[in-house]
Amino acid sequence: MDERLRIIIAKPGLDGHDRGAKVVARALRDAGHEVIYTGLRRTPEEIVRTVIDEDADFLGLSSLSGAHNFLIPKIVELLVNSDCNDVIVFAGGIIPEKDRPSLFSKGVRAIFGPGTSSAQMSDFIGSAVKRREDSLPVGCGEDSDWHWD
Amino acid sequence: MMDLIKLKSGDRRALSKTISLIESGEINSAIINENFPNMKKAEIWAITGSPGVGKSCICEHIIDNWLKKNQKIAVLAVDPSSPLSGGALLGDRIRINNSDHSENIFFRSLATRGQSGAIPSNIADILNLLSALNFEKILIETVGAGQAEVRVAAVSQYLLLVEAPDSGDMLQAEKAGLMELADILLVNKSDLERANEKAEQLSLAFQLSSNHPPPILMVSAKQNSGFEELFIEMEKLSKSGKNHKIKSRISLSFAWENLLWNHKDVSVILEKLESEQINLDEAINYLKEEL
């Protein structure tokens, strides 16, 4: 991929585990992107503020605490209210299969679990960028049920 | 294109989008000046020092002090891009906690973008934009090693150089340029044993070389000590309004220009530019490599 994207990797809520987030951040950097890592225990408001100030194309949310069903929709809602409909949101960590459809329906475009390869992530990012180039809805606030799988 | 109406109304997203346009070279100062004819100049501070000396912690204290005075602040945290992939990991937000709270602070991470982008040239445009939008204080944080940082420092009005007792030898050649530009020298981690020794070494180095040594202050971000003195010195500089180091700054850029015009390949490069075999960025990058 030629395009250099700005990607935020964020850890929302009370969750102290960020090995995964750091590995993802590193892999995306090595793929040529500018990655901003927020550090641990950020509130949804702080994360949205970061997305805005940093002019992010993508937001990756890492959650291993079980609070994904609350935090992720909350963040998407705040993004939409802040005129960030076009930001592409993906998630990772421990997110059970049964919780995924509802998150996808709220605008999350990919969910990565343990064992994901960086090639898969690149593939998602490539597909999402392609959709944006083709003017297809892909941002968290854009109406579409498309998601990567 | 930049959304002037939103920009002027203080919309954060319009600002951050416009910064991206400046980064990619689509907007420059000429355009900004044209649209904001009566801009006030923001006060621009740079903070630099080797990795691990505690720049971010000190930034946090400085920002808090400004926030208390209800000032509108922008922070630009500059980190290097990977020369291999062109990507960058921008982590300064982690350590500057107040960056995500107050409405009065805008925090942007910038990658140096190595070969193609050359932040040191367009950071001046970003500063211009922030000035135009009535930011009162701008703080640039960079890792202090190498020429790129000297140039980032040179776009600022005031330069804080941070050292720590456990950081490397002060008199390293690549730091000499920065030392001469510093308006305040900070020895962080003053709670550690060898901090006094470090401050003395610094003081001695300046006695040998400079007529007007900058103040050397001891702080401890950990114990929150020494910051009152720092703020007083910063206030003094800010009130004085004059650039103490402006002469050396100008001479530095002249020296830089001289290097350029004395470059062995400069006529070849000029010819290639003329015949459009290469563009300006390529020419600059080539010369930079050779210097």
Side-chain angles (χ1 to χ4, degrees), chain A:
Chain A
M1 211 183 325
D2 294 334
E3 199 184 348
R4 173 176 23 216
L5 299 162
R6 285 178 72 87
I7 303 175
I8 312 271
I9 297 296
K11 289 289 304 179
L14 296 175
D15 175 358
H17 301 269
D18 68 349
R19 175 66 60 88
K22 283 176 175 162
V23 170
V24 167
R26 179 62 196 266
L28 292 170
R29 183 201 86 138
D30 290 346
H33 303 300
E34 289 177 0
V35 185
I36 295 115
Y37 176 50
T38 60
L40 294 166
R41 300 185 195 93
R42 295 293 146 154
T43 65
E45 287 79 6
E46 287 168 351
I47 291 169
V48 171
R49 164 69 66 87
T50 304
V51 169
I52 294 171
D53 282 11
E54 300 287 357
D55 190 20
D57 303 291
F58 281 76
L59 168 63
L61 296 163
S62 159
S63 171
L64 293 91
S65 65
H68 48 267
N69 281 337
F70 172 75
L71 290 168
I72 294 176
K74 173 84 183 158
I75 291 163
V76 171
E77 184 195 319
L78 287 173
L79 281 172
V80 171
N81 292 342
S82 311
D83 202 18
C84 295
N85 292 315
D86 56 333
V87 174
I88 300 165
V89 175
F90 61 101
I94 305 298
I95 300 178
E97 204 59 57
K98 67 174 171 56
D99 293 342
R100 296 184 182 193
S102 122
L103 292 174
F104 287 137
S105 76
K106 291 185 173 105
V108 176
R109 300 303 179 198
I111 296 174
F112 300 110
T116 304
S117 69
S118 51
Q120 285 170 302
M121 218 155 44
S122 276
D123 187 60
F124 156 66
I125 288 172
S127 314
V129 168
K130 179 84 178 40
R131 280 183 71 86
R132 197 171 60 183
E133 281 166 5
D134 296 342
S135 305
L136 293 168
V138 65
C140 64
E142 294 165 354
D143 194 23
S144 163
D145 43 21
W146 179 84
H147 63 87
W148 185 86
D149 59 6

Side-chain angles (χ1 to χ4, degrees), chain B residues 111-150:
Chain B
T112 53
R113 301 212 171 159
Q115 305 295 315
S116 59
I119 276 290
S121 65
N122 62 19
I123 200 166
D125 299 335
I126 296 175
L127 295 169
N128 222 345
L129 174 70
L130 293 165
S131 281
L133 295 174
N134 299 319
F135 280 88
E136 293 160 285
K137 309 266 185 188
I138 302 174
L139 186 60
I140 308 169
E141 186 191 341
T142 68
V143 170
Q147 290 300 336
E149 282 70 23
V150 175

